[in-house]
Amino acid sequence: EAQVTQNPRYLITVTGKKLTVTCSQNMNHEYMSWYRQDPGLGLRQIYYSMNVEVTDKGDVPEGYKVSRKEKRNFPLILESPSPNQTSLYFCASSPPHYNEQFFGPGTRLTVL
Amino acid sequence: GQQLNQSPQSMFIQEGEDVSMNCTSSSIFNTWLWYKQDPGEGPVLLIALYKAGELTSNGRLTAQFGITRKDSFLNISASIPSDVGIYFCAGSDSWGKLQFGAGTQVVVTP
């Protein structure tokens, strides 16, 4: 089944403790992206990647890092999480030259 | 980033009614997308529009790409209980950069 998977689905952590949220897709898509969703704000893009080793900032990249060493994986790294990064995070992927992005199931992160 | 204004913010409708929502942008887009999000899940693509003036249907859903390229609307005809959810518009002026509206919460009562 074609899908985007994220792990973990739920995470509660404390301020300053480094964490990684993994994202993997099995559709051989070049493009992958991370979004955060907050009430009343819709989805805001954090980082995106056009292909392996190519990443770029979205609209809200502060406090986040990403890497794209393989086509199928695009982990999101929070080196020193803060409470304002408490949010619902989505990973998405799409084939080249199309904006029809396929979303993962989401990761709900709480930073205490 | 660009601002997308999506309205209404929420709507409470009776089963069988038609639903209409729209998005406007201050800038021109070359793609408009409409997504639906069910509770606890990621957004699912409903309709993609790539051409100004384009009108596209997907079952009971109809969406249009505005002539000015700054707006789009989504209609749902004869709503049913499973239409409940949050509907998002998204616009793009280049591959990979999507701007999302804040969403329209749809509640359907029997």
Side-chain angles (χ1 to χ4, degrees):
Chain A
E1 180 191 354
Q3 59 184 352
V4 179
T5 57
Q6 297 178 225
N7 281 293
R9 293 290 313 277
Y10 302 91
L11 179 59
I12 300 175
T13 189
V14 295
T15 298
K17 186 176 180 182
K18 180 179 178 180
L19 65 92
T20 299
V21 183
T22 65
C23 173
S24 183
Q25 50 91 9
N26 62 3
M27 296 170 279
N28 202 36
H29 285 166
E30 276 78 7
Y31 175 92
M32 297 185 74
S33 182
W34 276 103
Y35 295 87
R36 61 178 289 174
Q37 184 178 23
D38 301 291
L41 295 177
L43 289 96
R44 293 179 293 167
Q45 192 174 47
I46 302 171
Y47 270 95
Y48 64 98
S49 170
M50 298 288 198
N51 213 325
V52 175
E53 302 292 1
V54 180
T55 63
D56 209 345
K57 296 177 181 178
D59 295 317
V60 288
E62 294 77 21
Y64 304 94
K65 282 176 58 177
V66 292
S67 70
R68 187 90 183 274
K69 293 183 171 30
E70 310 165 273
K71 186 185 263 191
R72 64 181 290 124
N73 296 323
F74 191 43
L76 179 69
I77 303 154
L78 284 71
E79 296 267 3
S80 182
S82 62
N84 64 12
Q85 292 178 298
T86 292
S87 188
L88 180 58
Y89 290 86
F90 289 101
C91 180
S93 72
S94 75
H97 310 302
Y98 286 91
N99 276 314
E100 298 172 22
Q101 296 186 19
F102 297 88
F103 284 81
T107 295
R108 186 165 291 282
L109 172 65
T110 301
V111 183
L112 302 174
Chain B
Q2 298 167 5
Q3 294 296 314
L4 283 193
N5 295 310
Q6 184 172 349
S7 64
Q9 195 171 26
S10 61
M11 40 197 330
F12 295 79
I13 58 173
Q14 283 199 317
E15 188 174 350
E17 285 184 356
D18 295 345
V19 174
S20 186
M21 62 193 78
N22 68 80
C23 269
T24 59
S25 167
S26 56
S27 302
I28 289 172
F29 287 138
N30 56 33
T31 303
W32 281 99
L33 305 169
W34 286 92
Y35 285 86
K36 182 191 178 204
Q37 184 178 26
D38 291 327
E41 298 186 13
V44 173
L45 183 66
L46 299 174
I47 291 180
L49 302 157
Y50 289 97
K51 200 169 159 184
E54 181 181 356
L55 184 70
T56 297
S57 293
N58 178 8
R60 293 178 297 106
L61 307 176
T62 302
Q64 183 157 32
F65 193 143
I67 289 289
T68 65
R69 296 170 64 191
K70 292 184 178 182
D71 63 325
S72 177
F73 72 74
L74 175 72
N75 285 343
I76 307 172
S77 63
S79 58
I80 59 178
S82 62
D83 290 334
V84 164
I86 303 176
Y87 292 78
F88 290 99
C89 64
S92 175
D93 60 2
S94 60
W95 179 48
K97 296 282 287 180
L98 278 188
Q99 299 288 331
F100 281 82
T104 295
Q105 172 82 57
V106 172
V107 178
V108 180
T109 57

